[in-house]
Amino acid sequence: MKLLKLTEDQLRNICTPINLQRAENYVGRFFDCKIQNNIIVGKIKGNHGIYNVTLKIDSDPLEYSCECKTSKEMFCKHAAALGLTYIYTPWVFESDEKIERGNIKTLDELSFYLKTTKLKTLIDELRKKGVGVAKLSDLIGVSLQQIAAILKDEEKDKYHVLTDPIKLVCLYILEKDFEV
C-alpha cells in the first residue's frame, strides 16, 4: 500500500500564486474526504454553497473538477486546497485500503500506516499497555503540553512536524512489549 505522491510544486505548476495563497485558508475545512484509486475527493463550503471537489493526482498536469465558477476558467483555490489538505493531513481521507500493523513489510506500507493512523489511536493503545503520556513525554523529550497541543491540533486536522516521529516511537514501544 502506498499513498499517491502529491507535492506543492505540482500545485504551483498548475495554480496561480494568488489562488494557491487563497487555498491555504481552506486547508482542513473539507469534509467527506475520500481516496478513490488515483483520485482524491472532498466537499467544502464555499461562498455559494457546498462544492464537490476532485483531484486526479497521478496525471500531469493534474486533472481537477470543482463546482465553483472559477474552476471553469482555471485551477481554482478549492482544488488547490484539496491538494494541500492531502499533502498536510492525508489521514482525513477515507480509503478502502487499510493495513494491519502486523502486516507492514515495506517502508511504503509503514508510511501509509503512519499517514492513515491518528496519533491519538496509538497513544490510547500505549495507555492500555500501561504506558502513559507522561512516560512517553519523558522518553522522547517532548513536553506534555506539546503532546497535548499536537493531539488537539490533530483533531482539527492540523499537522505538526513532530507527529510522525512520535507515532514511530509509539509503534516501537507497542511492538517491543516492554515491561512497564
Side-chain angles (χ1 to χ4, degrees):
M1 295 198 185
K2 184 177 183 178
L3 285 174
L4 295 172
K5 187 75 171 156
L6 179 66
T7 66
E8 287 185 46
D9 284 339
Q10 287 173 282
L11 294 173
R12 274 190 215 99
N13 288 340
I14 194 169
C15 191
T16 65
I18 191 73
N19 274 353
L20 194 57
Q21 183 179 2
R22 288 178 179 157
E24 291 176 8
N25 295 324
Y26 288 91
V27 172
R29 294 177 51 199
F30 283 87
F31 59 97
D32 291 343
C33 297
K34 295 178 180 69
I35 300 173
Q36 301 169 330
N37 299 320
N38 58 350
I39 297 174
I40 56 174
V41 178
K43 294 180 180 181
I44 190 155
K45 186 175 184 323
N47 294 334
H48 302 287
I50 294 180
Y51 303 137
N52 291 299
V53 185
T54 64
L55 193 57
K56 185 175 180 184
I57 57 178
D58 68 347
S59 62
D60 187 25
L62 297 171
E63 295 176 28
Y64 68 97
S65 72
C66 179
E67 296 172 337
C68 76
K69 198 164 72 171
T70 303
S71 71
K72 290 161 186 44
E73 301 165 16
M74 67 177 72
F75 194 84
C76 68
K77 63 186 174 189
H78 308 109
L82 183 66
L84 290 174
T85 299
Y86 178 77
I87 290 168
Y88 298 135
T89 59
W91 59 85
V92 303
F93 291 83
E94 290 180 23
S95 173
D96 292 336
E97 291 188 67
K98 299 288 182 209
I99 188 167
E100 295 294 323
R101 187 169 57 237
N103 295 334
I104 297 172
K105 299 203 180 343
T106 68
L107 290 177
D108 283 340
E109 290 173 344
L110 177 60
S111 176
F112 181 87
Y113 184 84
L114 290 174
K115 297 297 183 197
T116 58
T117 303
K118 292 218 175 217
L119 176 59
K120 182 181 182 330
T121 301
L122 295 172
I123 288 177
D124 288 345
E125 283 187 58
L126 284 177
R127 283 185 179 128
K128 288 177 187 171
K129 287 195 163 214
V131 179
V133 179
K135 183 65 178 171
L136 178 65
S137 170
D138 287 342
L139 182 66
I140 62 177
V142 174
S143 73
L144 284 170
Q145 293 84 1
Q146 283 178 298
I147 293 174
I150 290 167
L151 288 168
K152 187 175 180 180
D153 281 347
E154 184 182 57
E155 288 177 16
K156 298 175 188 172
D157 297 325
K158 292 185 179 177
Y159 179 77
H160 283 273
V161 72
L162 290 175
T163 304
D164 285 348
I166 295 172
K167 286 180 185 180
L168 280 170
V169 171
C170 291
L171 284 176
Y172 185 79
I173 295 169
L174 288 167
E175 294 300 315
K176 288 296 184 180
D177 200 27
F178 291 104
E179 288 182 26
V180 181

